[in-house]
Amino acid sequence: MKIKKADFVKSAVYEKDYPEQLDKMEFAFVGRSNVGKSSLINSLTSRLKLARTSKTPGRTQLINYFLINDEFYIVDLPGYGFAKVPKEMKKQWGQTMERYIASKRKKLVFVLLDIRRVPSDEDIEMLEWLEYNDMDYKIIFTKIDKLSNNERAKQLKAIKTRLVFDNEDVFFHSSLTNKGRDEILNFMEEKLNN
Ligand SMILES: Nc1nc2c(ncn2[C@@H]2O[C@H](COP(=O)(O)OP(=O)(O)OP(=O)(O)O)[C@@H](O)[C@H]2O)c(=O)[nH]1
Ligand SMILES: [Mg+2]
């Protein structure tokens, strides 16, 4: 799939702020703060500055809707698990993100995990929540440019002590080199066509 058009639509907090159309597929990106959600969206759309990224965790605090090829939405969500913000703010971002996931929109959720880390309790909770509610989701390991092939194999072993999956069922991506981008785009296209 080629992304020819990517437009920012709106930011939202509550369900009443989401786009009115319900017929369009929505691909949402969740994961802990700083895992690379916004960077991945920029990589997929080949736009450097579509979604705002930052070295400081907690950049994305609202739900940001992007309309792609006038056909489907990409949804950038606030991250979880970042300690260095006041409790009340963390709670608000968490609720904003959870409300979206719990909503009955026509969506697929990409859960992003940093390839360099063993999944946190919050990562596992998120995956269990999606599983329990029978929601459509896929795992993407991010920042794969930061590890050599050897290191990656080792790290996958460590990750699998907490999380069971087949390598063929997950995606591996780098926003720096765009490696893994086509696999994700092809998967999205298949999803749109069935
Ligand atoms: N080397 C490398 N750096 C990355 C990659 N993806 C993201 N980063 C860096 O990681 C940092 C966080 O990226 P963001 O895309 O802002 O992360 P986010 O998940 O949207 O973070 P929040 O909005 O705070 O939840 C930035 O400094 C990015 O440049 C990647 O694939 N490779
Ligand atoms: Mg972000």
Side-chain angles (χ1 to χ4, degrees):
M1 177 169 65
K2 271 245 150 51
I3 294 192
K4 288 165 270 167
K5 206 161 171 255
D7 300 301
F8 171 74
V9 180
K10 54 157 55 183
S11 295
V13 175
Y14 301 101
E15 235 180 299
K16 65 170 174 50
D17 313 318
Y18 302 173
E20 276 172 33
Q21 304 102 298
L22 292 168
D23 55 317
K24 289 190 167 66
M25 180 71 188
E26 302 183 5
F27 295 98
F29 296 81
V30 294
R32 59 188 295 153
S33 267
N34 215 45
V35 71
K37 299 174 292 295
S38 301
S39 302
L40 172 58
I41 290 170
N42 291 338
S43 164
L44 293 177
T45 57
S46 304
R47 302 296 153 87
L48 281 178
K49 290 184 186 163
L50 187 67
R52 263 195 246 160
T53 65
S54 165
K55 282 195 173 57
T56 315
R59 171 76 261 181
T60 311
Q61 301 170 12
L62 303 166
I63 297 174
N64 291 309
Y65 265 94
F66 303 95
L67 180 62
I68 310 300
N69 294 349
D70 292 321
E71 189 194 355
F72 63 92
Y73 290 112
I74 277 181
V75 185
D76 193 9
L77 297 171
Y80 51 77
F82 178 56
K84 287 182 196 152
V85 289
K87 236 190 184 151
E88 197 43 44
M89 278 174 91
K90 246 194 339 196
K91 206 170 124 195
Q92 275 178 28
W93 303 348
Q95 285 173 348
T96 304
M97 181 269 293
E98 286 176 15
R99 240 187 326 259
Y100 174 81
I101 305 224
S103 74
K104 295 261 179 282
R105 316 279 297 185
K106 191 166 102 189
K107 64 177 174 319
L108 181 132
V109 178
F110 286 111
V111 180
L112 277 58
L113 299 172
D114 188 324
I115 187 79
R116 298 168 302 168
R117 292 166 173 266
V118 170
S120 68
D121 289 346
E122 280 166 302
D123 291 326
I124 300 292
E125 272 168 37
M126 172 59 66
L127 289 163
E128 283 177 351
W129 186 35
L130 292 165
E131 192 74 48
Y132 180 79
N133 289 293
D134 213 12
M135 285 191 250
D136 222 357
Y137 74 91
K138 274 277 176 187
I139 293 171
I140 301 178
F141 286 101
T142 64
K143 308 196 186 185
I144 58 161
D145 57 275
K146 297 215 183 225
L147 297 184
S148 69
N149 284 346
N150 265 343
E151 289 169 331
R152 189 211 289 201
K154 237 197 231 157
Q155 186 54 20
L156 277 174
K157 264 197 195 144
I159 292 171
K160 283 179 179 177
T161 61
R162 278 222 80 180
L163 190 66
V164 181
F165 60 90
D166 285 329
N167 290 356
E168 298 76 52
D169 292 338
V170 300
F171 294 105
F172 297 92
H173 181 268
S174 165
S175 295
L176 201 70
T177 64
N178 292 322
K179 197 155 192 268
R181 176 172 68 182
D182 292 345
E183 285 82 353
I184 299 170
L185 286 173
N186 289 344
F187 168 78
M188 289 166 71
E189 184 171 29
E190 267 171 40
K191 205 76 211 168
L192 289 168
N193 291 335
N194 72 32

